[in-house]
Amino acid sequence: MRETHSPKIQEHMMISISRLILLVAISTSTAVIAREASKNKLVITGSSTIAPLALELGKRYEKQHPGVRVDIQTGGSTRGITDARQGFSDIGMVSRSLYPEEKDLVSYTIASDGIAMIVHKTNPITSLSREQIISIYSGKIRVWQELGGKAGAITVVNKAEGRSTLELFLHYLKLKNTDIKAQIIIGDNEQGIKTIMGNPQAIGYVSIGTAEYHESQGTPIKLIPLNGLIASVDNVKKGAYPLSRSLNFVTKGQAENLAKDFIAFARSEANADLIKEQYFVPIQVKE
């Protein structure tokens, strides 16, 4: 016997079915919108050294590509590696070359940079050797008088773990992070600059590009020659400075779609002016 329902029950059933259809339609529409939005948003995370350059590149890219949003987030090169691997970002910013165990990532060099030892502008020290820096950072030299400076204890400023600047610095000195006797641990370059300008007894190391820019703006810091070699973008360009590195974008596998286009944009000669404005060295891209 066929089951029948009262007109009121049938009306409720029709309303419920209509609501269900509406919810499915809304859900499908929302998913489509989300997919379309993701196609027009680029998330880039990692190195604080590269971030200011990436930000300027992103602004120009957005102007030339209406509807596209480029989101830049810092956190260090280790974050850039991790986020790219796990899909949290489209592009990772890494201010060093990739390690052999990072072969699952593809690296695209966008510029070159160096690492400068910096002190307060009032510090009379004019040059340091690699051996002297090792002695300072390992705690063997603790006062500036031993280096011909003014009386006072040296405040050693070191980078936090996960920063590629620290990795390159340790590699150059042939030290482990546990060998370093630091009084202050800092994160990004800007924090390093502020720490040195606020402490005449301090010594630290940051991106040459960042340091040259701040020095040109009158910030009371001084870049110290290393083994007699001036810490400058020009010497990095010539390959004459020992503490230099490549600045890279990295992706999980070959870059595709929006990420591929943005990387090509960043590496194009047309945008080399932005790289120079950040005091980095543009690269020659081989077609």
Side-chain angles (χ1 to χ4, degrees):
M1 186 175 180
R2 190 171 63 181
E3 185 178 2
T4 60
H5 300 287
S6 68
K8 183 170 284 189
I9 292 176
Q10 289 181 343
E11 182 182 353
H12 282 300
M13 289 177 65
M14 291 301 294
I15 292 173
S16 296
I17 292 171
S18 297
R19 287 176 177 172
L20 179 60
I21 292 171
L22 180 60
L23 287 172
V24 170
I26 292 173
S27 178
T28 302
S29 177
T30 302
V32 170
I33 292 171
R35 283 198 299 271
E36 289 302 313
S38 67
K39 289 181 182 178
N40 294 317
K41 181 180 179 182
L42 201 58
V43 178
I44 304 175
T45 66
S47 167
S48 62
T49 296
I50 302 175
L53 170 59
L55 183 62
E56 294 306 314
L57 288 166
K59 288 179 182 177
R60 182 175 288 182
Y61 190 83
E62 288 176 344
K63 285 183 180 179
Q64 296 180 18
H65 299 78
V68 173
R69 181 188 170 196
V70 182
D71 182 12
I72 308 296
Q73 302 172 25
T74 60
S77 292
T78 296
R79 181 186 177 186
I81 293 288
T82 302
D83 284 0
R85 272 182 166 161
Q86 297 182 357
F88 296 144
S89 68
D90 302 291
I91 297 173
M93 299 180 288
V94 182
S95 49
R96 61 166 173 78
S97 299
L98 292 178
Y99 297 143
E101 61 270 25
E102 295 167 343
K103 290 181 179 179
D104 56 316
L105 299 172
V106 179
S107 175
Y108 304 88
T109 299
I110 60 171
S112 296
D113 182 32
I115 295 174
M117 302 303 305
I118 59 171
V119 295
H120 195 273
K121 187 176 181 179
T122 59
N123 192 318
I125 296 297
T126 57
S127 183
L128 289 170
S129 67
R130 176 177 173 275
E131 291 69 27
Q132 287 173 324
I133 296 170
I134 291 172
S135 295
I136 292 170
Y137 272 80
S138 61
K140 294 177 182 177
I141 294 179
R142 297 177 180 272
V143 293
W144 284 112
Q145 295 98 305
E146 292 187 48
L147 299 167
K150 296 178 181 178
I154 300 172
T155 302
V156 176
V157 181
N158 197 35
K159 283 271 191 173
E161 290 194 52
R163 303 281 175 171
S164 62
T165 310
L166 168 65
E167 295 174 20
L168 182 59
F169 182 71
L170 294 175
H171 178 75
Y172 175 73
L173 297 181
K174 299 295 188 291
L175 293 175
K176 297 178 181 179
N177 202 27
T178 52
D179 297 325
I180 303 296
K181 311 300 181 186
Q183 284 75 53
I184 298 175
I185 304 296
I186 54 98
D188 60 26
N189 290 309
E190 293 299 325
Q191 189 179 3
I193 296 290
K194 290 177 181 177
T195 300
I196 299 300
M197 64 182 284
N199 187 341
Q201 301 293 85
I203 182 171
Y205 55 94
V206 296
S207 157
I208 284 180
T210 302
E212 278 201 334
Y213 170 77
H214 277 279
E215 190 176 47
S216 73
Q217 297 301 305
T219 303
I221 62 167
K222 181 166 63 175
L223 287 75
I224 298 296
L226 179 57
N227 285 338
L229 295 168
I230 295 173
S232 67
V233 168
D234 189 50
N235 271 341
V236 171
K237 185 176 182 180
K238 293 175 182 176
Y241 189 73
L243 260 174
S244 59
R245 58 184 173 176
S246 60
L247 305 180
N248 307 290
F249 283 155
V250 302
T251 57
K252 177 73 172 178
Q254 293 290 334
E256 298 179 345
N257 304 321
L258 191 59
K260 180 180 180 180
D261 191 61
F262 183 79
I263 291 171
F265 176 85
R267 286 159 56 89
S268 69
E269 188 176 343
N271 296 304
D273 61 312
L274 296 181
I275 293 172
K276 293 175 183 177
E277 285 173 8
Q278 295 295 322
Y279 288 79
F280 296 138
V281 179
I283 60 164
Q284 296 293 324
V285 179
K286 297 179 181 179
E287 300 296 339

